[in-house]
Every structure is written in structure tokens, then in C-alpha cells.
Amino acid sequence: MSRVSPRIETVRHAARSLGVLDWIRITVLVLGVMFVATGALPTDTARSSVGRIAPLLLFLFSVIILAELTKEAGVFDAIAQRLARAGRGNYGALFLLCVAFASATTIFLNLDTTAVLLTPVMLALAARARIATLPLAMTTVWLANTASLLLPVSNLTNLLAADRIALETRAFAARMWAPQLAVLAVTMALLWAFYWRRRMRGADSYDPPEPAPIRDRVLFSATGFASLIFIGAILAGVHTGIQLGIAATVPAVIAVAAFAVRDRGALRLALIPWQLMVFVTGLFLVVPTLERFGLDDAMRALVGEDDGLGGAFRAAFSGAGLSNVLNNLPAYVAGESAVPVSNKDQLLSLLIGTNVGPVITPWGSLATLLWFEWCRRWDVRVPMRKFVLTGTVLAVAGCAATVPVLLVAG
């Protein structure tokens, strides 16, 4: 009887541990590599596409490790518990506090961080305080998408757009603060109407949870300090590209060093966001290939070349629609190639569509996919019919309200 080598058994175990989303990400990368190998995507085009996102991948790699270790140190849990206690059992106050927390996380640490880290925090908070789970969960996923307009770091699509139209962080925020406020107002109104009203949440008040003890104050302080350094660098107007990657890498190194001293066991391979790296790299090989075989022409027909109100609406709703058919990242990349270089308002309108719009289908954005995975792990039932219908209302109302604000404020 032959014995299976330990190496083969390790590979089999790793394969069995992969979820459906992991296999989708791997498949996207494999397809991209096959397109390059078969000549469907020229090597020079592939090299240029991947080279464009290399600094962005460094940023994503660093910021997610920073956020994971910050969560491991209990910083996010402590903030969530303090928010619940600050609400004093009042759902209206809790709603405003949760909106502020989810929005700030998305704005400064990007939407995928909100989906990966804030979702389990909110779900655990709901269990400890005996709060209805769905309102907190929907607040997380909607704001992970709609609160991602303000800064380049809030969304990978923002980083690409800021690079395309040469807007540094402060200039980008100066263009997008008014649209961000507009879509936040729409999101809050619809969240309350669809999920937070008394009939939806099922209770008049909640019991604030008791504060949990901090496991290690050194780690808590070190990761909190590292996060403040990162946020400070963003607020100081860090540019896109490699500077932004370094701005995320330095705080991540501080957090890793603290754990290396205090809790080395927490520095495991699972911290590395390989799924995101694989998915993004694969998309930037697959999308240019699709553009060569018709996607580019289709987006030009949908988007048009008008940089006025009509063209802005066409770009926003085309981006939102394609995001929910494919995913917001390839939707933005395809739309960007269809927008004339001089049409900055139209490009930012496309950005609004690909950021605000992907709230209808589970695959609309990577953040939404990650959110669904957490809900599945926590056995949270998400009524799909309501998710799709309310997401459609948000996508349409959000884009309709935000695009005019962009043009007027610009």
C-alpha cells in the first residue's frame, strides 16, 4: 500500500480549504495567464497593465495586514463596543454612530477593509447587545461601497482614476467631498427606511454591552498608533503610486514588529491577502483581453463622448450596470478606456457609478463578495429579493443624486 507524501497531502489539504470565492479568484488569474500565453493578450500590454497596478498592490497588501493586526489587537472591537455604549440603548443614536464608524473605515482604510474586518465586528456586536443583525450588516455593506468616493485610498478604482486625471489626494478630495456627502445622505435615508425602522429592527431599544477587557495594551497601543500614522499620512496629502504604498507599508511594519515581540503566533501566513492580490492581478489581464475583443467598443457606445450632464449620467449608469453584471473593477477599467482623456467630469461620473452602483448583485464588488462570505460564516440570513430590490433603489437614487452634485461643485 503506497503512502502519500507529506507534500502532496499538504497540497490536498490546502485545496480542500479553499472556498468558492477562492476558486473564482484563482480561475480569473489562470484565465489571464492563459490569455497571455496564447497571444490573446500581447505581452507588452500585459506587462503595462500589471505594472500600472504594482504600487496599488503594495498598498493593498500593506493596509490589509495593518487592519488585520489592528483588529487582532482589539482596536476595532473596542471602538464598536464604545459606539454601542455611547448610543445608550437608543437605536437612532446607534444608527448615526455605526454610519460614522463604517464611513470612516471605508474612507481611510478602503472598502475591502470594511468588508473584511468591520463586518465580523458588527455581527459580534449585534450578538452581544442582542441587536437585530440585518440592520448592522446592511449598514456595513452599503457604506463599504457608497462611502468610498472621498479619497484615492478609499477604493482601488479611485486610485486608478486619480492616476488617470493626475489628481493628488487633496485635489481629489476637493472634487469628491460634495458627491460623497450627497450619496451618504441618500444611503442613510434608505438604510433607515428599509432596515432600521422600528418595524424592521423589531425592538424599541437595546442593552449596551459590557466593555470587554483589552488583551494586550502594548499591542493595542502600537497598532492604534500605527493606524493613526497611516491616517495622518493620508490627511497630509500623500500622492498616489509608490508613495502611497510606502505610507501604508511603514505603519504595517510597526504593527508587525509589535506582534513579533508580543505575540509572534499571530503572524501567520493567513494574514497575507493573497486572494485579493490574485483576483486584482487576474482582472488586469482578463479585462484588457476582453477590451481587445469587443468590450471596449461596447463601452464606447454606452458611455459616449459628451462631458456634460447627459454624458455624465450615461457614464455613471453604464458603470453601475456593468459593475453588477461583471464586477466594479473591470467595469471601471473598461469604462476608463472608453472615456476621452479630456473628459474629467465624465470619468469621475463613471467612478461614481462603479463605486455607488455595485450594491445590487453579490458579485458587484469584491467588498460585497467578502461581506456575503462573512454573513455565510455567521449564519446570517440575507433575504436576496430584498437585497436586490433595495440595492437597486440605492444604486439608482445614489447615482442620480450624486452626479449633478459633482458637476455643480466642480
Side-chain angles (χ1 to χ4, degrees), residues 77-277:
D77 281 326
I79 295 173
Q81 289 169 14
R82 281 166 174 76
L83 288 177
R85 293 177 66 80
R88 299 179 181 274
N90 183 289
Y91 269 103
L94 180 66
F95 170 70
L96 294 175
L97 291 167
C98 287
V99 166
F101 187 24
S103 298
T105 304
T106 301
I107 288 169
F108 294 113
L109 293 175
N110 87 41
L111 74 167
D112 298 320
T113 297
T114 298
V116 171
L117 302 178
L118 195 56
T119 302
V121 169
M122 289 293 198
L123 297 180
L125 174 62
R128 285 196 294 268
R130 295 185 294 278
I131 299 170
T133 304
L134 195 58
L136 286 169
M138 292 304 301
T139 299
T140 304
V141 70
W142 274 12
L143 288 168
N145 289 283
T146 64
S148 66
L149 286 175
L150 184 60
L151 298 177
V153 299
S154 307
N155 199 326
L156 179 57
T157 53
N158 296 5
L159 290 166
L160 298 174
D163 179 64
R164 163 75 179 264
I165 58 180
L167 284 181
E168 299 176 0
T169 297
R170 289 176 181 173
F172 188 92
R175 282 303 315 271
M176 301 306 289
W177 71 266
Q180 181 66 90
L181 288 179
V183 76
L184 284 179
V186 172
T187 304
M188 290 173 66
L190 295 179
L191 273 172
W192 187 266
F194 290 139
Y195 294 101
W196 278 82
R197 284 185 297 128
R198 170 67 176 80
R199 186 166 63 88
M200 304 300 173
R201 65 178 186 257
D204 289 317
S205 61
Y206 67 93
D207 296 323
E210 293 298 321
I214 297 174
R215 180 172 58 90
D216 188 315
R217 290 192 176 276
V218 173
L219 292 177
F220 185 92
S221 300
T223 55
F225 176 68
S227 297
L228 289 176
I229 291 176
F230 173 72
I231 293 171
I234 300 305
L235 292 176
V238 181
H239 298 208
T240 56
I242 190 64
Q243 294 98 331
L244 183 60
I246 294 174
T249 300
V250 171
V253 169
I254 293 173
V256 169
F259 270 86
V261 174
R262 303 287 296 187
D263 185 7
R264 189 168 298 178
L267 300 177
R268 53 196 183 279
L269 289 177
L271 286 174
I272 298 174
W274 67 266
Q275 299 97 328
L276 186 58
M277 315 293 283

Side-chain angles (χ1 to χ4, degrees), residues 226 363 393:
W363 54 84
V393 174

Side-chain angles (χ1 to χ4, degrees), residues 149 174-183 186 307-317 345-346 348-353 356 394-410:
L149 286 175
R175 282 303 315 271
M176 301 306 289
W177 71 266
Q180 181 66 90
L181 288 179
V183 76
V186 172
D307 201 29
L309 181 62
F313 272 123
R314 287 179 64 176
F317 283 102
D345 286 342
Q346 194 180 26
L348 292 176
S349 298
L350 170 71
L351 185 68
I352 287 172
V356 174
L394 174 60
V396 173
C399 290
T402 307
V403 169
V405 172
L406 171 73
L407 299 183
V408 171

